[in-house]
């Protein structure tokens, strides 16, 4: 069985197009989208349309990210990044923000052997594999996970950093991000899971995309476009 997992698209249509093309070439059996679909400035409306298309075509399992939750919240004078959120609400189709904000916090694949979430399977904001600026201990990861049922692979996003950890019979994976990288390499990321039952292979995939085109779109159209463009070009997001 082959499972494609991607997430943290952050409104980057250009990076997402490259990832989806690569995934389709692998002819996978199941797909998972780990959330944070729209919070970004390289054509978020286009990124929304693409994610809806693949969901309808392939039955993609989707989970809720922390920025998805923020899109569903009422804006107040105290709202952080209010201007960015106002711009997103203007450019996104009606109902898009409410849709991503209402997604579940976790999803299972491969008959329950794979468990997917954004931060952790129960909380979009908590980093499963990070402890401050370091990698979390096995004990802390298991504490944050709680009961994972029959899962043999837990895969999350949120930190935008690729990582894999074997803890007993459980494989824990951070698949990296489609957009807003933090390691200085502006490649779009996804993960290919291959296996069945209790045995799974994890392959981290990186694909190139037209970063300059994405940055130009952000400069011309996005709120605070210069900052967004710099992040895309350098691969050093927030």
């Amino acid at each position: 069985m082959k499972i494609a997992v991607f997430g943290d698209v952050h409104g980057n249509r250009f990076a997402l197009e490259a990832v989806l093309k690569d995934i389709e070439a692998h002819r996978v059996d199941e797909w998972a989208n780990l959330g944070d679909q729209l919070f970004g400035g390289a054509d978020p409306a286009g990124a929304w349309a693409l994610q809806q298309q693949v969901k309808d075509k392939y039955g993609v399992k989707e989970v809720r990210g922390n920025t998805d939750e923020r899109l569903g919240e009422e804006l107040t004078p105290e709202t952080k990044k209010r201007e960015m959120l106002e711009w997103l609400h203007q450019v996104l189709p009606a109902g898009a923000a409410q849709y991503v904000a209402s997604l579940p916090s976790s999803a299972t694949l491969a008959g329950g052997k794979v468990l997917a979430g954004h931060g952790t399977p129960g909380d979009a904001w908590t980093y499963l594999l990070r402890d401050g600026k370091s990698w979390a201990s096995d004990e802390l990861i298991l504490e944050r996970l709680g009961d994972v049922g029959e899962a043999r692979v837990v895969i999350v996003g949120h930190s935008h950093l690729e990582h894999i950890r074997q803890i007993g019979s459980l494989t824990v994976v951070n698949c990296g991000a489609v957009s807003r990288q933090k390691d200085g390499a502006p490649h779009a990321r996804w993960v290919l899971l291959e296996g069945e039952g209790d045995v799974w292979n994890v392959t981290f995939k990186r694909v190139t995309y037209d970063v300059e085109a994405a940055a130009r779109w952000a400069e011309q159209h996005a709120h605070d476009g210069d900052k967004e463009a710099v992040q895309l070009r350098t691969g050093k997001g927030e």
Side-chain angles (χ1 to χ4, degrees):
M1 183 176 220
K2 294 182 179 181
I3 301 174
V5 185
F6 67 97
D8 292 292
V9 173
H10 283 284
N12 188 338
R13 170 180 61 83
F14 302 85
L16 180 60
E17 285 176 338
V19 164
L20 297 181
K21 182 178 180 181
D22 198 38
I23 292 174
E24 287 184 318
H26 284 78
R27 300 180 180 275
V28 300
D29 302 294
E30 290 192 84
W31 298 54
N33 182 343
L34 301 183
D36 277 9
Q37 295 191 22
L38 305 173
F39 197 94
D43 192 6
W48 161 257
L50 280 177
Q51 287 170 100
Q52 289 296 291
Q53 289 172 16
V54 295
K55 177 182 71 71
D56 293 341
K57 185 175 182 179
Y58 297 110
V60 180
K61 298 283 187 70
E62 298 175 303
V63 301
R64 183 180 71 251
N66 60 301
T67 64
D68 300 327
E69 290 186 6
R70 292 190 67 189
L71 280 172
E73 295 174 351
E74 181 179 355
L75 298 181
T76 71
E78 291 74 35
T79 297
K80 294 181 179 179
K81 298 187 177 180
R82 180 187 173 103
E83 292 181 353
M84 171 67 163
L85 287 162
E86 288 177 336
W87 175 77
L88 281 169
H89 285 298
Q90 290 171 5
V91 300
L92 291 170
Q98 291 72 23
Y99 175 87
V100 296
S102 64
L103 289 169
S105 64
S106 65
T108 58
L109 302 100
K113 295 298 183 180
V114 175
L115 177 61
H118 181 71
T120 72
D123 182 2
W125 293 86
T126 299
Y127 291 99
L128 177 60
L129 288 159
R130 299 292 286 174
D131 185 9
K133 295 183 178 181
S134 303
W135 295 110
S137 66
D138 290 357
E139 293 75 18
L140 181 56
I141 292 169
L142 292 176
E143 178 184 331
R144 289 171 173 173
L145 276 176
D147 184 10
V148 298
E150 297 182 0
R152 289 296 172 265
V153 178
V154 175
I155 187 162
V156 297
H158 192 35
S159 74
H160 295 218
L161 295 168
E162 296 149 306
H163 191 67
I164 186 169
R165 184 80 59 87
Q166 192 69 34
I167 308 175
S169 62
L170 185 67
T171 303
V172 186
V173 184
N174 191 299
C175 77
V178 172
S179 187
R180 294 196 173 192
Q181 309 306 336
K182 294 186 176 181
D183 60 5
H187 299 93
R189 326 289 171 93
W190 67 281
V191 158
L192 177 64
L193 302 177
E194 297 175 280
E196 60 181 350
D198 295 339
V199 181
W200 292 86
N201 184 65
V202 180
T203 305
F204 293 98
K205 309 292 284 187
R206 294 186 175 190
V207 294
T208 59
Y209 72 98
D210 194 340
V211 176
E212 281 301 316
R216 287 195 299 271
W217 196 101
E219 287 171 334
Q220 295 169 13
H221 304 289
H223 169 73
D224 204 3
D226 289 341
K227 181 178 179 181
E228 183 81 15
V230 169
Q231 291 175 349
L232 292 168
R233 289 189 173 107
T234 62
K236 293 182 179 179
E238 297 178 352

